[in-house]
Amino acid sequence: MNAVLIIDKPGGLTSHDVVNRVRRILREKSVGHLGTLDPLATGVLPLVIGNLTRLAQFYTSSEKTYEGTIRFGFSTDTYDAEGEATSPAQAINLSLEQVRELATRFRGLIEQIPPPFSAKKVQGVPAYKLARKHAQVSLKPVQVEIKEFEITQVNANVVPDLRAAEQSSPGSVASFRARVASGTYMRSVAHDMGQLLGCGAYLESLRRTAAGEFELADSHTLEQLEAAVQTGHPDDLFIHPRKLLPQFPSVTANEEMTARIRTGRPVNLPELSQARLVKVFTGQRELIAIATRVAGTLFHAKIVLAGAATPQLADN
C-alpha cells in the first residue's frame, strides 16, 4: 500500500498515537507523518504510507496555516492550556485594537525561543524530557517567519481558568489566524505576547487548517478511516497522487522510460529542461519516481517509489 492520507487529528492524541492507530487500522507498518501536532492541537496531519514515506524529505519546509485562541492573564510552563500556571493570574480586559497592534510585532522574520516543552534538543536530549524533570532548559533563539497573523476577535471577561492562584480572575481571549513557515511555534507566540503585555498568556487552542498543499477539506477522521477499511474502500480517502508536490512538474512515462527509471538509469526529458525536479508517473495514478536534472535535459531518479524495498520513517 503506497498512499498519502490526511487525518483530522483529534485533541488529546500525540502525532505518534495517530500513526500507531493508522498502522493498526491499515495493517501497514510503514506509516509516518509530515509534521508533528501537539496533543492539544487538532486538524491537518498528513500521513505517508508504504513507499511514499520517501516523499517526507520534500515536505520538511512546508508552510502551515492555523486557527486558534490565546488566553491572556497568566502564563504556563508548557506555553499552552495543558501546563501548570507559572505566574499569578491578573484581571485584564484587552481591546481588539490593542491585541491587533501587538500582533504586528510578530509578523515577518522574527527571533523566537522554542518552548521548553518541545522536541528541540539540549546537548542531544529533547528539551521536553528535561522540562518534565524540572531541569533548567535553555534554548537558543531561532529565526522563524510568520507570513500572516490576524487577530479576528477578542472576548473580554471570559470564564476564569481555575488553575491560577487567584481563581476568580477573568482574562481576555483572542482568536487568530496565522500562516507560518516550518519550525514556528504558535505556543511561543502566545507566551511572548503575554510577556510583552506583562500579564502572561498561553495558547488555549490550536487547529491546523493547512499543511503544504493539504487542507482540512482533504482530511478524514480516524473513525472514517476505520469505516472505509471495513467496507473495503480505504483508497477512496487517499490523496490523488497527481495532487502531490504541485510545485514540481510531472511527466507520464512510457514503458521504456519506466524500465530505465526503475533500474536507476537516466532518461531524457527535453520538454522539462528548465525544471530541477520532476514527478514521474505511469498511467494516471502511479507515482514511480522523483527525478532530478543532472545535465541539460538529462534526468536521473532522485528517489524511486516503485520496484524497491519499503523504508521505515521516523514517526515521532
Side-chain angles (χ1 to χ4, degrees), residues 143-205:
Q143 188 179 78
V144 300
E145 183 178 10
I146 300 179
K147 300 178 181 182
E148 296 177 12
F149 185 33
E150 179 185 357
I151 306 299
T152 56
Q153 68 178 56
V154 172
N155 296 322
N157 296 315
V158 294
V159 176
D161 185 320
L162 300 183
R163 291 171 301 168
E166 292 82 353
Q167 295 188 358
S168 62
S169 298
S172 294
V173 174
S175 301
F176 69 86
R177 286 195 298 265
R179 183 169 61 90
V180 305
S182 180
T184 305
Y185 284 93
M186 293 309 299
R187 283 187 287 146
S188 288
V189 171
H191 178 81
D192 292 347
M193 291 177 78
Q195 295 301 298
L196 287 173
L197 286 173
C199 63
Y202 63 87
L203 187 67
E204 184 177 60
S205 68

Side-chain angles (χ1 to χ4, degrees), residues 113-255:
I113 298 177
F117 283 84
S118 69
K120 294 290 186 180
K121 292 188 176 180
V122 179
Q123 296 181 339
V125 180
Y128 68 84
K129 291 187 176 181
L130 298 173
R132 285 174 182 167
K133 296 176 181 178
H134 303 288
Q136 182 68 31
V137 177
S138 181
L139 293 170
K140 296 180 180 179
V142 295
Q143 188 179 78
V144 300
E145 183 178 10
I146 300 179
K147 300 178 181 182
E148 296 177 12
F149 185 33
E150 179 185 357
I151 306 299
T152 56
Q153 68 178 56
V154 172
N155 296 322
N157 296 315
V158 294
V159 176
D161 185 320
L162 300 183
R163 291 171 301 168
E166 292 82 353
Q167 295 188 358
S168 62
S169 298
S172 294
V173 174
S175 301
F176 69 86
R177 286 195 298 265
R179 183 169 61 90
V180 305
S182 180
T184 305
Y185 284 93
M186 293 309 299
R187 283 187 287 146
S188 288
V189 171
H191 178 81
D192 292 347
M193 291 177 78
Q195 295 301 298
L196 287 173
L197 286 173
C199 63
Y202 63 87
L203 187 67
E204 184 177 60
S205 68
L206 188 69
R207 183 161 178 76
R208 186 192 282 167
T209 57
E213 65 264 32
F214 310 117
E215 300 179 343
L216 274 175
D218 302 313
S219 69
H220 307 278
T221 65
L222 291 167
E223 292 74 21
Q224 288 172 327
L225 178 62
E226 287 178 323
V229 168
Q230 289 172 4
T231 59
H233 298 287
D235 292 5
D236 293 345
L237 306 189
F238 298 155
I239 296 293
H240 195 293
R242 292 274 179 174
K243 294 182 179 180
L244 302 175
L245 298 168
Q247 68 271 33
F248 300 161
S250 62
V251 62
T252 302
N254 56 31
E255 190 173 331

Side-chain angles (χ1 to χ4, degrees), residues 22 31 47 66 76 78 83 88 98 138 140 146 210 229 250 259 276 292:
V22 171
V31 179
L47 303 182
Y66 296 102
T76 72
T78 59
Q98 282 177 294
S138 181
K140 296 180 180 179
I146 300 179
V229 168
S250 62
R276 187 176 69 86
T292 183

Side-chain angles (χ1 to χ4, degrees), residues 102-119:
L102 181 61
T104 63
R105 300 176 63 173
F106 291 86
R107 295 190 190 118
L109 292 172
I110 64 169
E111 292 287 312
Q112 181 183 82
I113 298 177
F117 283 84
S118 69

